[in-house]
């Protein structure tokens, strides 16, 4: 899927205008390549084995339950035009996640996911009037049908800076990971050597193989007292500075 972005000056969707700059020219070329590639696969009756670049089955969704025990989170207040809500910020390898403590009986230390957005669609910049606040802009995406702008207010400027740094590192790590996979599809030499040096990590610590199995659907059996929602136990979370 092609993410439709807009030009800063004109507000015209990327797919409806000429590319501006080397980066957009490269994106336009990739769009043309994958469009022709898809047509070729349909004509030759071949199955797609490389796309999407990210494993969507491992991503967190709104309403999922995370085990937050023994995890250091970044607490913040999310301020929008409508209201302000207390949330905990989690930066995963692919997503920005906002969780709320789960007050249901027997779920002490758990949190319910209230909002998710792909890291590639998130842009964070400091508020020039308040060093404890980040202005976060989220582009239109499947998880967010309309663009969103909100202010994330932290307890102090240190936590604010830590959140900004981890968001930036997360975007760079995700871009690098997708770049490796694009090199594999395009059969660019040196891909396998560079991919070996890259590690799929959460900002603040490595992702273990245990996470991959625990990120799968784990629906409680009927009569066990569960809510029927997916439980993501012991999801590695970032340590706060």
């Amino acid at each position: 899927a092609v993410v439709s972005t807009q030009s800063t000056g004109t507000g015209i969707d990327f797919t409806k205008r000429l590319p501006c700059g080397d980066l957009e020219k490269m994106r336009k070329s990739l769009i043309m390549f994958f469009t022709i590639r898809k047509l070729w696969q349909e004509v030759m009756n071949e199955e797609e084995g490389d796309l999407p670049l990210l494993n969507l089955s491992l991503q967190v969704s709104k309403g999922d339950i995370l085990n937050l025990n023994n995890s250091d989170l970044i607490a913040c207040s999310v301020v929008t035009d409508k209201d302000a809500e207390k949330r905990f910020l989690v930066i995963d390898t692919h997503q920005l996640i906002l969780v709320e403590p789960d007050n249901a009986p027997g779920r002490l230390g758990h949190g319910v996911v209230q909002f998710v957005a792909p890291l590639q669609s998130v842009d964070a910049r400091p508020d020039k009037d308040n060093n404890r606040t980040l202005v976060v802009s989220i582009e239109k995406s499947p998880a967010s049908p309309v663009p969103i702008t909100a202010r994330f207010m932290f307890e102090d400027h240190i936590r604010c800076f830590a959140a900004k740094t981890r968001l930036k590192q997360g975007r760079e790590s995700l871009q690098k990971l997708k770049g490796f996979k694009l090199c594999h599809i395009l059969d660019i030499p040196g891909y396998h050597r560079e991919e070996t040096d890259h590690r799929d990590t959460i900002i603040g610590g490595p992702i273990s193989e245990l996470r991959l199995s625990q990120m799968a659907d784990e629906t409680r059996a009927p009569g066990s007292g569960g809510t029927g929602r997916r439980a993501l136990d012991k999801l590695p979370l970032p340590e706060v500075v």
Side-chain angles (χ1 to χ4, degrees):
V2 178
V3 177
S4 179
T5 59
Q6 295 182 340
S7 168
T8 304
T10 63
I12 303 175
D13 285 345
F14 177 67
T15 55
K16 299 178 181 178
R17 59 179 171 84
L18 294 174
C20 179
D22 294 337
L23 182 60
E24 287 195 349
K25 290 180 180 178
M26 180 182 66
R27 290 184 60 195
K28 182 72 74 173
S29 298
L30 286 173
I31 291 174
M32 293 299 299
F33 169 79
F34 283 109
T35 300
I36 297 174
R37 180 174 179 269
K38 182 179 180 180
L39 176 61
W40 170 263
Q41 290 176 333
E42 291 178 352
V43 172
M44 301 301 294
N45 197 24
E46 295 181 355
E47 294 186 1
E48 177 60 71
D50 297 311
L51 297 179
L53 295 177
L54 303 178
N55 190 346
L56 301 180
S57 65
L58 299 181
Q59 294 189 358
V60 176
S61 301
K62 182 177 180 180
D64 288 344
I65 300 174
L66 305 182
N67 187 341
L68 306 179
N69 289 317
N70 302 321
S71 300
D72 293 324
L73 308 176
I74 304 180
C76 64
S77 295
V78 181
V79 182
T80 61
D81 295 335
K82 298 180 180 179
D83 53 17
E85 298 176 327
K86 295 287 291 185
R87 294 288 184 264
F88 289 100
L89 174 64
V90 180
I91 303 172
D92 195 10
T93 51
H94 303 156
Q95 296 171 297
L96 176 150
I97 307 171
L98 295 176
V99 300
E100 179 183 30
D102 190 353
N103 297 321
R107 290 206 171 273
L108 181 64
H110 288 69
V112 182
V113 176
Q114 297 295 330
F115 179 80
V116 292
L119 275 182
Q120 63 187 17
S121 302
V122 177
D123 177 63
R125 62 185 185 277
D127 188 339
K128 61 181 180 180
D129 298 325
N130 188 343
N131 63 0
R132 299 187 299 111
T133 302
L134 284 180
V135 180
V136 179
S137 301
I138 302 175
E139 300 175 355
K140 183 170 61 174
S141 67
S144 176
V146 295
I148 297 175
T149 299
R151 296 180 182 274
F152 287 20
M153 299 182 63
F154 301 88
E155 295 181 359
D156 51 51
H157 69 281
I158 297 177
R159 288 178 173 82
C160 180
F161 179 77
K164 176 179 177 293
T165 301
R166 289 172 180 171
L167 282 170
K168 179 181 178 182
Q169 291 177 346
R171 285 173 58 93
E172 292 175 350
S173 178
L174 179 60
Q175 185 178 17
K176 187 175 182 180
L177 174 63
K178 295 174 73 174
F180 286 148
K181 294 186 176 182
L182 281 174
C183 290
H184 171 66
I185 295 175
L186 298 173
D187 198 20
I188 296 178
Y191 159 74
H192 295 289
R193 177 181 58 81
E194 294 182 358
E195 184 191 34
T196 303
D197 297 333
H198 180 74
R199 293 295 180 267
D200 189 14
T201 59
I202 192 169
I203 307 305
I207 288 184
S208 64
E209 294 182 1
L210 179 62
R211 173 181 180 273
L212 299 180
S213 61
Q214 291 170 336
M215 288 286 285
D217 289 346
E218 296 178 3
T219 305
R220 291 178 177 269
S224 62
T227 61
R229 292 180 294 187
R230 186 171 62 174
L232 306 180
D233 293 335
K234 298 181 181 179
L235 172 67
L237 301 174
E239 298 178 356
V240 69
V241 177

